[in-house]
């Protein structure tokens, strides 16, 4: 079982390089002003150029209008748009059509009934991202270091391509993969020394732990076949 790994909320050349050198499949950049990981468009342009095809670039926004999305797309030239707010299935489809880019839609999860959203976004989003539902008083919908009950995703058959997010770090990623069998992992706060400040050592440790866990799971599946 291979696993896609996304390091999100990158904002400096050294941490971007750490993610790329360690083998991240996707690198995420946040365009949402309330977030400590928010990236100015000029900085995004420079970091985007630094990627040079070594990973897919992801532009994260939260309930953004077309003008904001267009500016972020022009700056970063992303491979994928991540919509992390309350965007409806219709809005997801409209964004995908307007910008000609695949879209990953975040789904906030707290209880089993939250997974009903999977059907609503089928055929609209190219990929889903399951993240812990933010507390009511939170100023942003993700990147809070909060996990949800991963058992809700056990034996999930109907989601199509998806990523697991929320509270992941090098210490728990093996357990997360064992329970969910997630084909993709998205981490932000779990590789930081402070909110918005990525730690290169934690980035490398997370990617190493995730790869090792995915390999171990694949071996177990093969031995049981």
């Amino acid at each position: 079982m291979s696993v896609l790994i996304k390091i999100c909320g990158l904002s400096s050349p050294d941490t971007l390089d750490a993610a790329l050198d360690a083998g991240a499949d996707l690198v995420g950049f946040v365009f949402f002003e309330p977030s400590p990981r928010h990236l100015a468009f000029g900085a995004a342009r420079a970091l985007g150029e630094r990627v040079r095809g070594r990973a897919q670039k992801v532009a994260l926004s939260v309930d953004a209008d077309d003008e904001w999305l267009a500016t972020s797309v022009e700056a970063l030239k992303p491979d994928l748009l991540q919509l992390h707010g309350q965007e409806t299935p219709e809005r997801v489809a409209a964004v995908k059509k307007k910008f000609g880019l695949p879209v990953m839609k975040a789904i906030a999860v707290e209880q089993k009934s939250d997974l009903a959203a999977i059907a609503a976004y089928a055929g609209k989003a190219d990929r889903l991202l399951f993240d812990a539902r933010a507390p009511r008083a939170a100023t942003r919908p993700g990147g809070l270091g909060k996990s949800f009950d991963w058992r809700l995703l056990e034996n999930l058959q109907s989601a199509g391509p998806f990523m697991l997010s929320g509270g992941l770090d090098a210490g728990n990623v093996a357990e997360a993969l064992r329970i969910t069998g997630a084909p993709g992992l998205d981490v932000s706060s779990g590789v930081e020394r402070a909110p918005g400040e990525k730690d290169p050592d934690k980035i490398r440790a997370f990617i190493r732990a995730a790869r090792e866990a995915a390999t171990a799971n694949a071996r177990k599946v093969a031995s049981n076949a």
Side-chain angles (χ1 to χ4, degrees):
M1 180 180 84
S2 61
V3 63
L4 291 175
I5 299 174
K6 174 172 170 276
I7 307 296
C8 195
L10 293 159
S11 59
S12 68
D14 63 318
T15 55
L16 173 59
D17 287 347
L20 294 169
D21 292 345
D25 301 291
L26 303 97
V27 287
F29 304 91
V30 175
F31 300 98
F32 182 56
E33 290 177 325
S35 172
R37 305 168 188 95
H38 171 65
L39 198 60
F41 295 124
R45 181 175 289 104
L47 290 176
E49 291 172 352
R50 194 179 186 91
V51 175
R52 295 193 297 275
R54 290 179 285 171
Q56 288 197 316
K57 296 177 289 186
V58 183
L60 184 156
S61 63
V62 179
D63 298 316
D65 60 22
D66 285 353
E67 182 179 1
W68 185 264
L69 289 172
T71 306
S72 65
V73 167
E74 190 281 327
L76 183 65
K77 295 179 174 54
D79 302 287
L80 177 70
L81 299 177
Q82 179 176 334
L83 304 183
H84 212 102
Q86 299 297 317
E87 298 89 357
T88 64
E90 293 73 23
R91 176 60 176 158
V92 170
V95 167
K96 181 177 177 179
K97 181 178 180 180
K98 181 174 181 63
F99 295 98
L101 290 168
V103 173
M104 177 163 66
K105 178 67 182 83
I107 303 295
V109 179
E110 186 175 24
Q111 55 195 8
K112 192 72 172 179
S113 60
D114 293 322
L115 300 181
I118 293 172
Y121 289 97
K124 307 289 195 304
D126 297 276
R127 185 181 300 272
L128 297 178
L129 181 144
F130 298 113
D131 196 3
R133 184 176 297 280
R136 188 177 299 273
T139 58
R140 58 187 192 275
L144 301 171
K146 181 177 182 286
S147 62
F148 62 92
D149 185 352
W150 296 323
R151 291 173 297 178
L152 295 174
L153 301 184
E154 276 186 306
N155 304 312
L156 188 65
Q157 302 293 330
S158 60
F162 74 89
M163 303 193 88
L164 175 66
S165 185
L168 295 173
D169 58 36
N172 66 17
V173 67
E175 181 73 356
L177 277 175
R178 184 188 67 78
I179 293 172
T180 67
L185 302 166
D186 185 323
V187 65
S188 184
S189 60
V191 291
E192 292 181 337
R193 57 172 66 100
E197 186 181 347
K198 291 291 185 287
D199 183 321
D201 289 336
K202 288 186 176 182
I203 290 172
R204 287 187 281 267
F206 179 84
I207 293 176
R208 181 170 58 251
R211 297 290 185 214
E212 289 175 353
T215 299
N217 286 350
R219 287 173 178 164
K220 184 176 180 180
V221 170
S223 66
N224 292 335

